[in-house]
Amino acid sequence: MQAFLITFCLSAMDLECASQETVKQGLLARGWPPIKGFSKHVKTKVLEFFSLLIKLGQDDPRRVVHSLKAGLALTLVSLFYYYQPLYKSFGVSAMWAVITVVVVFEFSVGATLGKGVNRGLATLLAGGLAVAAHQLANLSGRIGEPIVLGIFVFLQAAVSTFVRFCPQIKARYDYGLLIFILTFSLISISGFRDDEVLELVHKRLLTVLIGGSTCVIISVLVFPVWAGQDLHNLIASNMEKLGIFLEGFGDEYFKMPEDGESKEDRPFLQGYKSVLDSKTNEDALANFARWEPRHGRFQFRHPWKQYLKIGALTRKCAYRIESLNGHLYADIQAKREIRSKIQETCTTMSMESGKALKELSMAIKTMVKPLAADIHIENSKSSVKNLDTLLKSGLWDDETDLLEVVPVATVASLLIDVVTCTAEIAESVNELATMLKFEVVEPTVSPEKPETGQPKIGIS
Amino acid sequence: MQAFLITFCLSAMDLECASQETVKQGLLARGWPPIKGFSKHVKTKVLEFFSLLIKLGQDDPRRVVHSLKAGLALTLVSLFYYYQPLYKSFGVSAMWAVITVVVVFEFSVGATLGKGVNRGLATLLAGGLAVAAHQLANLSGRIGEPIVLGIFVFLQAAVSTFVRFCPQIKARYDYGLLIFILTFSLISISGFRDDEVLELVHKRLLTVLIGGSTCVIISVLVFPVWAGQDLHNLIASNMEKLGIFLEGFGDEYFKMPEDGESKEDRPFLQGYKSVLDSKTNEDALANFARWEPRHGRFQFRHPWKQYLKIGALTRKCAYRIESLNGHLYADIQAKREIRSKIQETCTTMSMESGKALKELSMAIKTMVKPLAADIHIENSKSSVKNLDTLLKSGLWDDETDLLEVVPVATVASLLIDVVTCTAEIAESVNELATMLKFEVVEPTVSPEKPETGQPKIGIS
C-alpha cells in the first residue's frame, strides 16, 4: 500500500521517469518517513512544473489568452444562475448552458464552431426523435413503456456507436453523434418520469444554443485563433525546417571534423524531425479549418485539401532527409579526395533545394507567387545534370575503390531524390497559388548566386 | 440558400469529393428539381455508406460487439429512471449516471478505465473544493456572494484550462481537468440557488461512480478489448509489414519487367506505408494501456515504454524503406550487367533482414525469445561484409560508367542502413524479451537457407 501511494504521488507529477524510480526506491528503502527527502523532491517537482507552465505560456502566449477567454465565457453563462429574471425562465436547465461552455470552448475558432454546430444540431435532431419515441412508448401502457423505451435507447446507442467507427464521420461528426446518443437517452428516459417532454427539449435546446453561441462569439471576437491560419503557418514552417537542413547539409557533410568537434552538436540540423510526425496535427487542423468562416485572407471554402497535399509531399521529402541525416553521422565516410570531386555539385544541389523550399515557405506565408523558388529549382536541376556529366566524364581514376564511392554515391542519389521532391512541392505550391490567386511580385533583388557560378535558368 | 442546402446535404455524406462537386454543379445548373437525378445520387450514397459500415464490421467484428456493449450499458443505467425505489433515492440526479455512461464508455478497457478514474477523482476533488468555495462565498452576503463565486469560477477555469496545455498532463489527465472545471462550476454556481450543496455533491458523486463502474464492469467482463494487447499486436504487425516488403524487394528490384508489366501492381509491397504514420496511434494505445490491470500475459506495470521504443525504431526503418521504394519504381535504373553483379548479395541482405523482422514480429506475438531472428541478422550482416569484399575486389571493369553505378550503390547503401536498423530493432526486442522473461524455445526446424548458400553464423 505504501509502495502504491508513493508510486501514485510520483506518477501524478510524471515529469522525469528515471529520477522517479530512484526516489521511489530510496524512499522505500528508508521506510518513508524520513519525509525530508520526499518533501524536497516534491518541492523540486513543483518548481519544475511551474517553470514548464511559464515556458508553455512564453512559447505561445495565445494559450494564456485562451485560458482567460475560457474563464470569461464560463463566468458569463453563470449569470443565468445569479440574475433572477434569467433564472426564473430557465431554472436548473441553466446547467446545460454551463456544461456546453465547458465542453465546447476549444482553442481555435474552427474547433469551437465545429463542436458548437455538432452539439446544436445533434440536440435538435435527438430531441425531436426522443419526443417521437416518448409518444410511441406512451401508447404501450405503464408496464410496456419502459420496455419500449429500453429497446429504443439500446438500438440508437448501438447504431450510433457503430457509425462513430466510420472514419469520414469520426473526423467531422464524432462529437455530434456522442451528443445525439446523450440527448436521445436523457430526453426519452426522462419522459418516463416527466410528461413535460416538449418543455424539456425546448429548454435544453435553448440553453445549449445560448452556451454554444457564447463560446462562438467569444472565440471569434476576442483575439481569435484560426485553425486555418495555424495550418497555413504549419505547412510553411515545415517547409522552412527542411530548407534550413538542406542549406546546412552540404557544408556539414563535406566539412572535415576538426579538433574532436562532434557533428551532432548542430541543433539547427535536427529541426526537420518534427515534420516526420506532423500528419495527425495537419489533419486535425484541416478538419477544424473547414468549419471556419471567411477570415483575413482565408475564404470559407479555402482549398484545405491542397494544404494537406503539400504537407504530404513535404513529409515525403522529410523521409529522404532522414536518410540523408543518417549519412551525416555515419562512421564510414568516403575519402576526402572522392568527396571533394562531387562536393561542389552536391553542395549546390542541397543548397539550391534548401533555398527553393525556404522561398516556397515564404511564398505561402506572404501569399505571393513563388517566382524566386523556380529559379532555385532550375539551379538544383541543372546541378543534377552537372553531376551526371561529372560521373560520366571518367573523372575518377581506375584505382578508385568502389567501396569508397558508395557512401558519396548514396548521398548524391538521395540529394537527387530531394531535388525531385522539392520540384513536386513547388508544383503543388504553384497549384495553390493559382487556386488562391497569389499576388505576382517580381523579385526586386536578384536571387543569390549559387556556389557554382551564375544562376542557370531554364536548362532542364 | 439553395446552394448552401445542396452543399450541406452532400457534405453530410462526404464520401467522394470530386463526384460531389459534379453533382452539385449539375443540380444547380438544372435548378434543382429535377429531383430524380438527386434522389438517385442519394440512393447510391446511402448504399455506399451501408457497404462501408458492413466492411467496418467485417474488418474488426469487435466494433459490432462494442456497439452492443454500449447499448447494454446505457440500457442498464436507465433502470435508475424506470425502477421506482432507485428513482426515489436519486431523482433527476440519475441523469448523471446516464451522462457518465455515454461519455466514459470507450472501445478499450484502458480508455474506459482512464476516463472513469479521471471522472471519478475529478468529481470528488472539484466537489470538495466547490463546497469550500460555497462556504467562503456565503460569508460575503447576498450581494457579495455572486461576485466572490464569479471570481472563483473564473480563476479555476482559467488556471485549469491553461494546465491542460501541458503535454504530460494532457496525455493522461486531460479529461479529468475538463470534468474538474465542469463540476466545480456547476456545484459552486448551483450553491447560490440551492443550499443543499453537500447533498448535491454526494448525489452527483454517487451517480458518477455508479455510471463509471457500470462502464468499467461491462468493459472488463463482456468480451474485453485490451489496449495493451492492441499495442502489442500493432508493434508486431508493423514489423511484419516491413518484413514482407524486404522479403519481396530483392526479387522485385532485380527482376526485369516483362511484357509491359507494371511494377506498381504489387499491393504487398505497399503495406509498409501505414507504418510511417503509426506514432499517434501507438502513443494513444500506450497511454490507455497504462491504465489497464493485469490481464493475460500483461502485467499492470508492463514495460509499455519499451514497446514505444521498438515502434520508433520500426518507423526509422520504415523511412529507409520509403526511400528504397522510390528506387523500385525509378525511371533510371542501372544496367542489367551492373545490377547482376551485386544482385545476389543485395537480395540476401534484403531477404535476411525481412526474415529477421518477421521472426522478431513472431517472437513478440508468441512471447518467445527471438533466437531464429539472430541467425538471420548474422546472415544479413555477413552479406554486408560480402558486399564490401565484392566492391573492393575490383570486379568492375574500367569502362564501367559511374553514372550507372549510382542507383545500384544507393540501393545497396540503403539496404545496409536497413540491416543496421533491423539489428537495432532486434536489440530492443531482446531487451523486451529479457524484461518480460520470454520463453526460450529452440528453433526445431533449421532456418531456411539464404540464397547465397549455407547460413553463416557468427561472422560479425
Side-chain angles (χ1 to χ4, degrees), chain A residues 315-340:
Chain A
R315 261 194 309 286
K316 194 176 149 196
C317 191
Y319 298 147
R320 303 294 188 277
I321 287 181
E322 168 79 1
S323 299
L324 267 180
N325 187 50
H327 285 268
L328 197 54
Y329 304 126
D331 293 334
I332 315 146
Q333 290 201 349
K335 268 196 196 159
R336 187 189 290 254
E337 306 89 73
I338 298 175
R339 303 208 305 175
S340 67

Short mmCIF file of all heavy atoms in Angstrom, two decimals, chain A residues 315-340:
data_model
loop_
_atom_site.label_atom_id
_atom_site.label_comp_id
_atom_site.label_asym_id
_atom_site.label_seq_id
_atom_site.Cartn_x
_atom_site.Cartn_y
_atom_site.Cartn_z
N ARG A 315 6.35 15.84 -46.15
CA ARG A 315 6.75 14.69 -45.33
C ARG A 315 7.56 13.69 -46.14
O ARG A 315 8.56 13.15 -45.65
CB ARG A 315 5.52 13.99 -44.74
CG ARG A 315 5.24 14.37 -43.31
CD ARG A 315 4.27 13.44 -42.66
NE ARG A 315 3.07 13.27 -43.46
CZ ARG A 315 2.12 14.17 -43.59
NH1 ARG A 315 2.22 15.33 -42.99
NH2 ARG A 315 1.07 13.94 -44.34
N LYS A 316 7.14 13.48 -47.41
CA LYS A 316 7.89 12.56 -48.28
C LYS A 316 9.34 13.04 -48.39
O LYS A 316 10.28 12.24 -48.32
CB LYS A 316 7.22 12.54 -49.66
CG LYS A 316 7.64 11.41 -50.56
CD LYS A 316 6.83 11.45 -51.85
CE LYS A 316 7.63 10.92 -53.00
NZ LYS A 316 7.03 11.27 -54.30
N CYS A 317 9.50 14.34 -48.54
CA CYS A 317 10.84 14.92 -48.63
C CYS A 317 11.58 14.72 -47.30
O CYS A 317 12.77 14.42 -47.29
CB CYS A 317 10.71 16.40 -48.98
SG CYS A 317 12.24 17.19 -49.43
N ALA A 318 10.85 14.87 -46.20
CA ALA A 318 11.47 14.71 -44.88
C ALA A 318 11.98 13.29 -44.67
O ALA A 318 13.01 13.08 -44.03
CB ALA A 318 10.48 15.07 -43.78
N TYR A 319 11.28 12.28 -45.25
CA TYR A 319 11.76 10.90 -45.12
C TYR A 319 13.12 10.76 -45.80
O TYR A 319 14.01 10.08 -45.29
CB TYR A 319 10.77 9.92 -45.76
CG TYR A 319 9.40 9.90 -45.12
CD1 TYR A 319 8.25 9.65 -45.88
CD2 TYR A 319 9.23 10.12 -43.75
CE1 TYR A 319 6.99 9.63 -45.30
CE2 TYR A 319 7.98 10.11 -43.17
CZ TYR A 319 6.86 9.87 -43.94
OH TYR A 319 5.62 9.86 -43.37
N ARG A 320 13.28 11.40 -46.99
CA ARG A 320 14.57 11.34 -47.67
C ARG A 320 15.64 12.04 -46.83
O ARG A 320 16.78 11.58 -46.74
CB ARG A 320 14.50 12.03 -49.04
CG ARG A 320 13.47 11.49 -49.98
CD ARG A 320 13.80 10.06 -50.40
NE ARG A 320 12.91 9.60 -51.44
CZ ARG A 320 11.69 9.10 -51.22
NH1 ARG A 320 11.23 8.98 -49.99
NH2 ARG A 320 10.95 8.68 -52.23
N ILE A 321 15.25 13.15 -46.21
CA ILE A 321 16.20 13.91 -45.41
C ILE A 321 16.61 13.11 -44.19
O ILE A 321 17.77 13.15 -43.77
CB ILE A 321 15.59 15.28 -45.04
CG1 ILE A 321 15.58 16.15 -46.29
CG2 ILE A 321 16.34 15.95 -43.91
CD1 ILE A 321 15.03 17.52 -46.10
N GLU A 322 15.68 12.32 -43.66
CA GLU A 322 16.02 11.45 -42.53
C GLU A 322 17.11 10.46 -42.96
O GLU A 322 18.06 10.22 -42.21
CB GLU A 322 14.75 10.73 -42.07
CG GLU A 322 14.94 9.57 -41.10
CD GLU A 322 15.19 9.98 -39.66
OE1 GLU A 322 15.19 11.19 -39.38
OE2 GLU A 322 15.41 9.08 -38.83
N SER A 323 17.00 9.92 -44.17
CA SER A 323 18.05 9.02 -44.67
C SER A 323 19.36 9.78 -44.83
O SER A 323 20.44 9.29 -44.47
CB SER A 323 17.66 8.40 -46.00
OG SER A 323 16.50 7.64 -45.88
N LEU A 324 19.28 10.99 -45.38
CA LEU A 324 20.48 11.82 -45.56
C LEU A 324 21.15 12.08 -44.22
O LEU A 324 22.37 12.00 -44.09
CB LEU A 324 20.09 13.18 -46.15
CG LEU A 324 20.13 13.36 -47.65
CD1 LEU A 324 19.71 14.78 -48.00
CD2 LEU A 324 21.51 13.07 -48.20
N ASN A 325 20.33 12.40 -43.23
CA ASN A 325 20.83 12.72 -41.90
C ASN A 325 21.62 11.54 -41.33
O ASN A 325 22.62 11.73 -40.65
CB ASN A 325 19.65 13.07 -40.99
CG ASN A 325 20.10 13.58 -39.65
OD1 ASN A 325 20.94 14.47 -39.59
ND2 ASN A 325 19.56 13.00 -38.60
N GLY A 326 21.16 10.32 -41.65
CA GLY A 326 21.88 9.13 -41.20
C GLY A 326 23.30 9.11 -41.76
O GLY A 326 24.23 8.67 -41.08
N HIS A 327 23.46 9.62 -42.99
CA HIS A 327 24.79 9.61 -43.60
C HIS A 327 25.68 10.71 -43.06
O HIS A 327 26.90 10.63 -43.13
CB HIS A 327 24.66 9.73 -45.12
CG HIS A 327 24.22 8.44 -45.71
ND1 HIS A 327 25.09 7.49 -46.15
CD2 HIS A 327 22.99 7.93 -45.88
CE1 HIS A 327 24.42 6.44 -46.57
NE2 HIS A 327 23.13 6.68 -46.42
N LEU A 328 25.04 11.75 -42.50
CA LEU A 328 25.82 12.86 -41.94
C LEU A 328 26.68 12.38 -40.79
O LEU A 328 27.79 12.82 -40.58
CB LEU A 328 24.83 13.93 -41.45
CG LEU A 328 25.33 15.32 -41.19
CD1 LEU A 328 26.04 15.87 -42.40
CD2 LEU A 328 24.16 16.23 -40.83
N TYR A 329 26.10 11.44 -40.02
CA TYR A 329 26.81 10.98 -38.82
C TYR A 329 27.36 9.56 -38.97
O TYR A 329 27.70 8.94 -37.99
CB TYR A 329 25.87 11.05 -37.61
CG TYR A 329 25.30 12.42 -37.41
CD1 TYR A 329 23.93 12.62 -37.31
CD2 TYR A 329 26.15 13.52 -37.35
CE1 TYR A 329 23.41 13.90 -37.13
CE2 TYR A 329 25.64 14.80 -37.18
CZ TYR A 329 24.28 14.98 -37.07
OH TYR A 329 23.77 16.23 -36.90
N ALA A 330 27.39 9.05 -40.23
CA ALA A 330 27.86 7.68 -40.42
C ALA A 330 29.35 7.58 -40.09
O ALA A 330 30.11 8.53 -40.30
CB ALA A 330 27.60 7.24 -41.85
N ASP A 331 29.74 6.43 -39.55
CA ASP A 331 31.15 6.23 -39.19
C ASP A 331 32.02 6.14 -40.44
O ASP A 331 33.07 6.75 -40.55
CB ASP A 331 31.30 4.95 -38.37
CG ASP A 331 30.61 5.09 -37.03
OD1 ASP A 331 30.50 6.23 -36.57
OD2 ASP A 331 30.19 4.07 -36.46
N ILE A 332 31.55 5.29 -41.37
CA ILE A 332 32.35 5.08 -42.57
C ILE A 332 32.00 6.19 -43.55
O ILE A 332 30.88 6.25 -44.05
CB ILE A 332 32.01 3.73 -43.24
CG1 ILE A 332 31.94 2.64 -42.18
CG2 ILE A 332 32.97 3.41 -44.35
CD1 ILE A 332 30.91 1.58 -42.46
N GLN A 333 32.94 7.07 -43.75
CA GLN A 333 32.69 8.11 -44.74
C GLN A 333 33.73 8.00 -45.85
O GLN A 333 34.83 7.50 -45.65
CB GLN A 333 32.73 9.47 -44.07
CG GLN A 333 31.52 9.65 -43.17
CD GLN A 333 31.25 11.11 -42.90
OE1 GLN A 333 32.05 11.98 -43.20
NE2 GLN A 333 30.09 11.38 -42.34
N ALA A 334 33.32 8.45 -47.01
CA ALA A 334 34.21 8.32 -48.16
C ALA A 334 35.46 9.17 -47.96
O ALA A 334 35.47 10.12 -47.19
CB ALA A 334 33.48 8.76 -49.41
N LYS A 335 36.52 8.79 -48.68
CA LYS A 335 37.78 9.52 -48.58
C LYS A 335 37.62 10.96 -49.06
O LYS A 335 36.81 11.26 -49.92
CB LYS A 335 38.82 8.83 -49.46
CG LYS A 335 39.63 7.79 -48.73
CD LYS A 335 40.86 7.48 -49.57
CE LYS A 335 41.50 6.19 -49.12
NZ LYS A 335 42.34 5.64 -50.20
N ARG A 336 38.51 11.80 -48.51
CA ARG A 336 38.46 13.22 -48.83
C ARG A 336 38.52 13.48 -50.34
O ARG A 336 37.75 14.27 -50.88
CB ARG A 336 39.64 13.91 -48.14
CG ARG A 336 39.63 15.43 -48.23
CD ARG A 336 40.93 15.97 -47.72
NE ARG A 336 41.04 15.81 -46.28
CZ ARG A 336 40.91 16.82 -45.40
NH1 ARG A 336 40.68 18.03 -45.85
NH2 ARG A 336 41.05 16.62 -44.12
N GLU A 337 39.42 12.76 -51.05
CA GLU A 337 39.59 13.04 -52.49
C GLU A 337 38.30 12.77 -53.26
O GLU A 337 37.88 13.53 -54.12
CB GLU A 337 40.69 12.17 -53.10
CG GLU A 337 42.02 12.25 -52.40
CD GLU A 337 42.11 11.21 -51.29
OE1 GLU A 337 42.26 10.02 -51.63
OE2 GLU A 337 42.03 11.58 -50.10
N ILE A 338 37.69 11.62 -52.89
CA ILE A 338 36.48 11.25 -53.62
C ILE A 338 35.37 12.25 -53.34
O ILE A 338 34.67 12.70 -54.26
CB ILE A 338 36.04 9.83 -53.21
CG1 ILE A 338 37.14 8.85 -53.58
CG2 ILE A 338 34.73 9.45 -53.86
CD1 ILE A 338 36.89 7.46 -53.12
N ARG A 339 35.26 12.61 -52.07
CA ARG A 339 34.19 13.54 -51.72
C ARG A 339 34.39 14.89 -52.38
O ARG A 339 33.45 15.52 -52.85
CB ARG A 339 34.14 13.71 -50.20
CG ARG A 339 33.96 12.39 -49.48
CD ARG A 339 33.28 12.53 -48.19
NE ARG A 339 33.94 13.48 -47.29
CZ ARG A 339 33.43 13.82 -46.13
NH1 ARG A 339 32.27 13.32 -45.76
NH2 ARG A 339 34.06 14.65 -45.34
N SER A 340 35.66 15.33 -52.42
CA SER A 340 35.90 16.67 -52.94
C SER A 340 35.51 16.77 -54.41
O SER A 340 35.18 17.83 -54.90
CB SER A 340 37.35 17.07 -52.74
OG SER A 340 38.17 16.27 -53.54
#
